[in-house]
Amino acid sequence: MDNTTPTHFVRKIIDDDIRQGRCPDGIHTRFPPEPNGFLHIGHAKAICLNFGMAAEYRGKCNLRFDDTNPEKEDTKYVEAIQDDVRWLGFDWEDRLFFASDYFARLFGFAVELIEQGKAYVDSMSAEQIREYRGTLTEPGTDSPWRDRPVAENLDLFHRMKAGEFADGELVLRAKIDMAAANLNMRDPVIYRIRRTSHYRTGDDWCIYPMYDFTQCLSDALEHVTHSLCSLEFEDHRPLYDWFIDNLDTPSRPRQYEFARLNLEYTVLSKRKLIELVEDGHMGGWDDPRMPTLSGLRRRGFTPGSIREFCERIGLTKNDTWIDAGVLEHVIRDELSVAAPRRMAVLRPLKVVIDNYPDDKEEMLDAANHPQDPSMGTRKVPFSKVLYIERDDFMEDAPKKFFRLAPGREVRLRYAYFITCNEVVRDDKTGEVIELRCSHDPATRGGSAPDGRKVKGTLHWVSAGHARRAQARLYDRLFSAANPDRGDQDWKSCINPDSLETLDGCLIEPDLAQAEPGQRFQFERLGYFCADREDWRQDRPVFNRIVTLRDTWAKITAAGSSPRRQGSR
Ligand code: ATP
Ligand code: MG
């Protein structure tokens, strides 16, 4: 760890364990997703932590699918999750595991508990078990089956496995303490009957182990040293330890909990994300508005920006909400340095330069990055008929409006100063459809030899050269910072304007040759990414990753800086 990396409590724990000689074989972590949905940015926090700690301490990190719930799991999620972890930049090498591969060994552990008199088969219904469980203030009541003899428990458990009973007819429970203050310790169910085909083990099993039982024992089988999980499992830790302490396991993992990531204006729960997809609110798991890793990737976020985000938000034991702007801030920082600049017009307004020859065409030099000459230059075609952004013209402009207005002069980026002389309207609607302008030929390149200044610099494209494209602009997915807040229905605050599709955009010709996934800054408009799915040669599609912080940052002729984007 270098001196600039902020430390956190997990690093301190690991440092201490190493110092005390508790990890003679190095540290070993794991990321244990359930394959019942796509990964979201909250998972990225857990991935970066687990893989990050392993890398930092030259240890190992496993990818383990926690797949003990046959109803919801699917191979398509297993594949998507692997793609996402790899995309984030992490490698589990040969350590890809599935909890379902341990079903036989977990069954053996359960038998071991029964033989020790520490587990019993209960004939009560799920509802009765709930009633007997007690509450936070009242102790639970022992099940009438709690003292079933070991031999009978063994016989019934084997017959459960053999499929002799219906779903829910019997369960296996750990025999701990029905009066424990911690409800998780009140004889938790560890096996249940589910006659559902499993996506990997098919119909081999009709009994499935519960999460708490599976998680700790899988960790122990894999020699995991530090089992890092989110805070909601804190109350499960005594149970985790109870299983490990009461069974003859090959290793002794320890569980540590950290706060989940909560991100404003979105939801980070697979169940809710599934609902958004299945109810058709979103185009799919990779809809660029989704907080999923596949959505963020398609939107144009880089793996590095997500790792950097996870580092910046830190790691604590207190529930925290992260401002939606933090993620945008990180990607802006990266792209302001790395993304080549281009010009595109989202909502075009026609401009005719009356004093420019009809058939003339010039190729003007444009810097690919105003602060980084190593990114080179390109040629941008200029001609008599151009398009500018509709918003960059105002007929009755206030004094502070530094863009184009009747009688005012502005700079066209990399080109000339132009002055607006006349406004052409549609006869019927009265809408402004064209501006008649003149240019000053002496200002070629964007500065005036007489030293005269203009306040505004506009982006533009040449009508005869520009290509048509679609731009997709995104806003927050929800209109409430915390859509899950108790007094509202989370779906009622979906932002109806989270996507705006503009079909009439005009782009610099060379942008039409972009590779899907390539990122650019469209000057004054934001950072955009060529869409990976819907891109067509005859219809380029660009997703806006993020706006520029200050859309109207003044761009000067000498190519000096649009302000550093997004600084806080
Ligand atoms: P969800 O509530 O979205 O279904 P989950 O915790 O059930 O999430 P898992 O597949 O079990 O999803 O998660 C794998 C790991 O990712 C777990 O160890 C969990 O602690 C961690 N994780 C999930 N969500 C977050 C989050 N928002 N912040 C940090 N870690 C998370
Ligand atoms: Mg889970």
Side-chain angles (χ1 to χ4, degrees), residues 514-559:
E515 292 291 325
Q518 229 182 320
R519 303 173 186 87
F520 300 92
Q521 185 195 93
F522 289 180
E523 295 208 31
R524 301 175 66 231
L525 299 172
Y527 295 99
F528 286 74
C529 180
D531 190 73
R532 293 161 203 268
E533 298 301 319
D534 299 337
W535 182 276
R536 285 199 324 252
Q537 205 53 55
D538 62 339
R539 195 207 48 183
V541 177
F542 285 95
N543 299 318
R544 180 152 70 188
I545 309 166
V546 66
T547 56
L548 301 180
R549 184 179 189 75
D550 179 357
T551 312
W552 306 117
K554 220 173 89 192
I555 301 170
T556 60

Side-chain angles (χ1 to χ4, degrees), residues 103-151:
F103 280 166
R105 299 186 72 176
L106 294 169
F107 181 82
F109 282 126
V111 168
E112 201 182 315
L113 281 181
I114 296 172
E115 283 169 345
Q116 296 180 56
K118 289 177 179 160
Y120 60 97
V121 172
D122 199 335
S123 306
M124 289 202 297
S125 67
E127 199 176 320
Q128 284 172 310
I129 291 177
R130 213 172 304 123
E131 279 165 20
Y132 276 59
R133 200 164 175 234
T135 63
L136 283 171
T137 50
E138 290 161 51
T141 312
D142 286 359
S143 161
W145 309 100
R146 199 170 195 264
D147 292 317
R148 242 200 256 267
V150 168

Side-chain angles (χ1 to χ4, degrees), residues 420-438:
C420 176
N421 304 316
E422 192 190 331
V423 177
V424 182
R425 309 173 165 285
D426 182 289
D427 287 343
K428 295 199 190 76
T429 64
E431 190 196 5
V432 175
I433 50 171
E434 187 178 313
L435 304 177
R436 309 296 296 208
C437 300
S438 54

Side-chain angles (χ1 to χ4, degrees), residues 30-34 36 40 42-43 45-46 66 228-230 232-233 258-262 268-271:
R30 85 286 173 271
F31 173 62
E34 185 179 352
N36 61 352
H40 53 63
H43 293 112
K45 177 175 179 178
D66 162 36
L228 307 172
C229 63
S230 34
E232 69 269 27
F233 295 105
F258 61 90
R260 291 172 85 88
L261 167 66
N262 298 304
L268 295 183
S269 139
K270 276 186 280 184
R271 185 180 61 75

